[in-house]
Amino acid sequence: MKLKIDEKPFLPEGRHVVKITEVEEGRSENKDIPFINCRLENEDGFVNQRFYLSEPGQPILASFLKALGIDKQEVDSKELKGKSLSVEVEERTYEDAEGKEKTIKQATHFEAVGKANTSNRI
């Protein structure tokens, strides 16, 4: 049997410099909370990160936008595509609304990509 793989693997745990390659808007399945889902990827793989547009989600989204160099109060989610940042990828286990345990990969500890790292590339 021949296997054809058209997808990158998930990024391993640890710090990675990634680019936002997709931004999708949606609403949570259980509480109907709006969110944006960003695909963060590099040559090694990807991780999807969902940002909820709720009051508890505001500090997380603010940290993400700050790492991207965005300090406006309002931004169009389409403006995020193509921007780069440094993230830490980790696994998190939680209990879903039906009481089932789920483990996901997530991006945390957002940081700006250092200018020294990008200015030396040719």
Side-chain angles (χ1 to χ4, degrees):
M1 171 189 319
K2 292 188 180 193
L3 302 175
K4 183 176 180 189
I5 308 296
D6 290 329
E7 182 60 275
K8 291 180 177 183
F10 289 118
L11 285 169
E13 291 187 49
R15 181 142 305 268
H16 301 274
V17 173
V18 293
K19 182 183 279 190
I20 302 169
T21 58
E22 293 176 25
V23 179
E24 297 175 331
E25 298 175 7
R27 299 189 82 79
S28 66
E29 298 82 5
N30 296 309
K31 296 184 180 178
D32 200 39
I33 298 170
F35 67 81
I36 60 168
N37 184 70
C38 296
R39 180 178 168 114
L40 311 172
E41 72 177 282
N42 61 25
E43 57 280 345
D44 297 325
F46 78 100
V47 64
N48 286 312
Q49 181 61 46
R50 194 179 273 193
F51 297 94
Y52 288 96
L53 308 180
S54 63
E55 190 174 323
Q58 291 292 304
I60 300 164
L61 184 57
S63 172
F64 179 70
L65 294 175
K66 182 179 178 186
L68 293 172
I70 298 172
D71 59 2
K72 299 186 279 186
Q73 291 258 326
E74 197 170 291
V75 64
D76 187 329
S77 61
K78 293 176 186 76
E79 293 179 45
L80 304 178
K81 191 172 177 180
K83 296 197 179 293
S84 297
L85 73 157
S86 174
V87 300
E88 207 167 292
V89 174
E90 60 188 31
E91 285 191 353
R92 179 172 72 90
T93 301
Y94 68 98
E95 197 172 284
D96 70 10
E98 295 159 4
K100 296 178 185 168
E101 191 174 274
K102 290 194 171 185
T103 300
I104 60 168
K105 288 229 181 194
Q106 67 179 14
T108 62
H109 303 104
F110 311 112
E111 293 182 10
V113 176
K115 290 181 180 171
N117 293 340
T118 57
S119 64
N120 293 336
R121 291 186 187 150
I122 298 176

